[in-house]
Amino acid sequence: MLSCKEASRLVSQSQDRRLGWRERMALRLHLAVCDACREFSRQMAWLRQALRHFALRAEQDETVRLPSEAAERIRRALHGHD
Amino acid sequence: MTHISGDALLVEHGDYLYRYALLRLRDPHLAEDAVQETLLAALSAKNGQGFAAKSAVRTWLTGILKHKIIDHFRRAQREAPLPDGEFSDGDLPPGMDDFFLEDGHWTEPPSSLGNPAALLEQQQFWGVLQTCLDRLPKALARIFLLREIEEKENEEICKELEVSTTNAWVMLYRARMGLRKCLEMNWLGDRNAEL
């Protein structure tokens, strides 16, 4: 029987690689009887989704702009190159 | 269009490129430098000439910026690599570590975050996520963002950052554990305080 510590590692790694057959069975068995790790597993899936939303929002957030001093500095650096 | 002007690129795409870089580099000065390097590279590249559509130019610029960001990550990873080995002390801020007891049970079992889909609708939540990302050690944040935001395959990340596969799994695990704990503490903590 996996410990919660081992189970949490497998849950994380399942997002990065295909687990082996034994690992999948062991994890499934653990999750079947462990509420805490089942919740953890749900949260890991959700976290991945949340990060993707977060990235889209950050890239589209028009209140975040290149600071004007930086823009001026860049403009000067670009002159002579175009 | 036979010629691309630096001013025009800056006006049209500067803010977007800055946001893109800031999200990944997590440092305003680094992000500004990356925008500058990108536009300079764009101006000196011949194949930039002749794009008519704004969206094509943006895709092209973003492609250049991506490479600049990876270059930076690789340099940073070389200068301050995470120590090899399973668990090193002190690379997560206090309170974000010690997840398990010696017998392998949770120190504090994960508590329910409520309705996860609804959470994503709440403005406040994004501020908390931002804070928690900033609290991750830089090396962990780098690999985690590459994995989750760029959706890069593990092997590709390992090659780009020059880390072993096993080390990458450990770093991603620690990033997720740290982030989850931070969200739980700050989000649930705040919510409970309001009740």
Side-chain angles (χ1 to χ4, degrees):
Chain A
M1 184 74 181
L2 295 178
S3 70
C4 293
K5 187 173 180 173
E6 292 163 329
S8 70
R9 272 186 225 167
L10 286 184
V11 167
S12 173
Q13 287 187 20
S14 73
Q15 296 193 322
D16 304 316
R17 66 177 174 97
R18 185 166 164 74
L19 298 183
W21 181 81
R22 271 167 207 282
E23 290 172 317
R24 285 204 304 279
M25 294 317 276
L27 184 57
R28 205 174 294 170
L29 200 64
H30 182 97
L31 293 182
V33 296
C34 179
D35 289 345
C37 288
R38 232 180 6 256
E39 178 63 28
F40 174 78
S41 173
R42 267 197 295 272
Q43 291 182 8
M44 286 297 101
W46 164 82
L47 187 61
R48 171 160 278 187
Q49 200 194 344
L51 257 293
R52 287 172 192 172
H53 278 264
F54 176 76
L56 278 179
R57 286 174 60 102
E59 282 166 17
Q60 290 162 5
D61 181 359
E62 293 188 354
T63 64
V64 177
R65 308 187 56 186
L66 184 65
S68 51
E69 315 86 72
E72 194 42 50
R73 201 170 59 239
I74 293 172
R75 187 168 290 121
R76 278 199 304 273
L78 295 180
H79 275 182
H81 286 268
D82 58 7
Chain B
M1 192 160 124
T2 54
H3 190 76
I4 286 180
S5 110
D7 279 358
L9 288 182
L10 185 60
V11 169
E12 284 277 347
H13 306 288
D15 290 334
Y16 174 80
L17 293 173
Y18 176 69
R19 288 195 291 272
Y20 188 95
L22 186 62
L23 169 67
R24 290 156 177 83
L25 295 167
R26 327 220 40 83
D27 176 303
H29 294 294
L30 291 177
E32 290 165 12
D33 289 349
V35 173
Q36 177 167 328
E37 283 177 37
T38 297
L39 293 177
L40 281 172
L43 288 179
S44 58
K46 279 204 166 65
N47 60 355
Q49 299 180 5
F51 280 127
K54 183 177 155 187
S55 63
V57 175
R58 180 159 292 187
T59 305
W60 172 60
L61 291 173
T62 309
I64 300 174
L65 178 56
K66 266 186 193 172
H67 281 107
K68 301 286 174 198
I69 292 171
I70 289 287
D71 285 346
H72 173 81
F73 281 171
R74 193 182 297 130
R75 277 198 305 274
Q77 181 67 24
R78 272 196 204 125
E79 283 158 21
L82 266 199
D84 274 326
E86 185 81 21
F87 277 74
S88 51
D89 291 331
D91 53 6
L92 283 179
M96 283 170 74
D97 216 333
D98 296 327
F99 304 110
F100 297 98
L101 301 169
E102 260 174 49
D103 64 3
H105 279 96
W106 292 93
T107 313
E108 282 176 78
S111 46
S112 170
L113 290 177
N115 179 352
L119 212 50
L120 303 184
E121 304 296 321
Q122 300 187 39
Q123 192 65 33
Q124 243 186 317
F125 171 74
W126 300 108
V128 176
L129 181 54
Q130 177 84 48
T131 308
C132 288
L133 278 173
D134 287 340
R135 287 183 57 192
L136 279 184
K138 282 203 163 61
L140 294 188
R142 279 198 297 269
I143 191 166
F144 180 67
L145 290 174
L146 277 181
R147 182 75 184 112
E148 302 298 345
I149 295 182
E150 306 299 342
E151 302 180 34
K152 275 181 188 285
E153 286 309 316
N154 234 31
E155 287 130 44
E156 202 181 347
I157 295 176
C158 292
K159 211 182 294 168
E160 285 174 347
L161 295 183
E162 296 165 0
V163 297
S164 72
T165 324
T166 323
N167 215 8
W169 290 333
V170 174
M171 288 165 82
L172 288 167
Y173 174 65
R174 292 186 61 75
R176 291 181 183 124
M177 292 294 277
L179 205 52
R180 196 206 68 82
K181 187 67 189 169
C182 180
L183 287 173
E184 186 178 78
M185 288 193 308
N186 289 282
W187 183 252
L188 293 178
D190 274 7
R191 265 199 321 190
N192 292 341
E194 281 166 18
L195 294 177

